[in-house]
Amino acid sequence: IGLMGRARRIQFPGACYYIVLQGNNRQDIFMSNQDRRYFLSLLRSYKDRHALKVYAYCLMGHDAHLLIETGQANLATVMQGFNTVYTKYFNASHNTIGHVFQGRYKALVVDKDHFLSEMTRFIHLQPACEGLKEKPWRYQWSSCTAYVESDLHEQLVDSDPVLAQFGKIRLKQSVRYLQFIKDRLKSVSQFVLPVARGLAVGSEGFLSRVEELGQDEKREKARQ
């Protein structure tokens, strides 16, 4: 895979992405809880500045998993800025130099109509995938609590579009979402995402449609 050319980013307004940021040489991108807090406060400020939706996140040791939607066709700009600011903070805090993140981040376009709730579950189950004993819904550094605790209104997380699929009343939504997580917990290691051509979570048909949208967006930009 290392020899392949750089896969192009598919960008269009309203695109939803599953993003994985990995530590350079699999090193930790979080050395302390302060780092995690900084990462989340940075995510909040980027959300506000770029009108993003943040559906889910999970911060592990050497990687971070995000499910975000961009209001405009600007994922590359957003992520470049975010990664640069976090890298500067990290190096200053830990007296290190150089890259914090491994090469290019992974970004798959997600078929929101069919896989939005499934992707939040996939991200919230990362602690179990990594073999942590802690229950995923008790893991402090993921957005799972924003889904399973009915009285929690977390400013960063846009849980409503997913929870709406689990009922009309918030308490019922939370109970059912927790069950949704538990249902997958036993078979977490067998869970594979339906990835089309390494570019999208969804079907080939979905990928063709979003590639078309991405091309339209490029032509539009070229005209301006």
Side-chain angles (χ1 to χ4, degrees):
I1 288 178
L3 299 173
M4 285 169 62
R6 288 158 70 99
R8 66 221 170 281
R9 297 283 186 221
I10 300 171
Q11 302 188 116
F12 57 92
C16 179
Y17 300 95
Y18 168 46
I19 294 167
V20 184
L21 297 169
Q22 289 178 310
N24 201 24
N25 300 322
R26 288 188 72 72
Q27 287 166 323
D28 283 351
I29 54 177
F30 306 111
M31 308 276 274
S32 66
N33 284 343
Q34 179 52 40
D35 292 348
R36 293 182 177 89
R37 279 191 286 272
Y38 182 82
F39 185 97
L40 292 177
S41 72
L42 188 61
L43 186 57
R44 195 171 290 122
S45 74
Y46 266 71
K47 174 187 167 148
D48 295 341
R49 192 188 314 171
H50 295 283
L52 306 175
K53 285 182 178 153
V54 178
Y55 293 118
Y57 66 83
C58 185
L59 313 185
M60 301 302 291
H62 53 71
D63 56 18
H65 301 256
L66 307 171
L67 186 63
I68 65 172
E69 184 180 313
T70 56
Q72 300 162 311
N74 61 351
L75 179 74
T77 310
V78 169
M79 293 309 296
Q80 191 179 357
F82 184 93
N83 289 358
T84 302
V85 175
Y86 184 78
T87 298
K88 278 185 181 154
Y89 154 81
F90 186 92
N91 284 335
S93 297
H94 301 291
N95 206 12
T96 49
I97 53 168
H99 296 292
V100 172
F101 297 111
Q102 174 87 43
R104 280 184 109 212
Y105 55 92
K106 175 169 136 185
L108 302 175
V109 190
V110 175
D111 181 350
K112 215 170 58 177
D113 295 339
H114 296 99
F115 291 103
L116 190 63
S117 55
E118 194 57 85
M119 282 310 307
T120 66
R121 173 160 72 172
F122 182 78
I123 289 172
H124 292 151
L125 283 169
Q126 285 306 307
C129 295
E130 297 270 332
L132 296 191
K133 293 280 174 276
E134 208 171 350
K135 297 278 187 260
W137 51 92
R138 298 221 175 89
Y139 183 66
Q140 191 184 351
W141 303 105
S142 94
S143 50
C144 198
T145 48
Y147 282 82
V148 302
E149 294 188 11
S150 58
D151 55 354
L152 188 72
H153 280 285
E154 155 69 82
Q155 296 299 299
L156 177 59
V157 185
D158 298 283
S159 58
D160 291 351
V162 171
L163 288 176
Q165 299 169 25
F166 290 86
K168 292 205 166 39
I169 303 159
R170 181 64 205 236
L171 180 61
K172 204 165 257 179
Q173 291 171 345
S174 297
V175 169
R176 286 178 180 161
Y177 187 86
L178 178 57
Q179 192 54 51
F180 179 63
I181 295 283
K182 287 179 174 174
D183 288 344
R184 178 67 76 189
L185 199 52
K186 290 182 189 67
S187 61
V188 75
S189 57
Q190 287 111 50
F191 186 33
V192 181
L193 293 174
V195 176
R197 278 188 278 137
L199 294 169
V201 177
S203 66
E204 277 287 339
F206 167 75
L207 178 54
S208 301
R209 286 196 303 280
V210 295
E211 281 183 319
E212 197 55 48
L213 285 171
Q215 288 304 326
D216 290 349
E217 192 60 38
K218 267 198 192 129
R219 285 192 283 271
E220 194 57 44
K221 279 213 169 86
R223 272 193 218 107
Q224 287 167 7

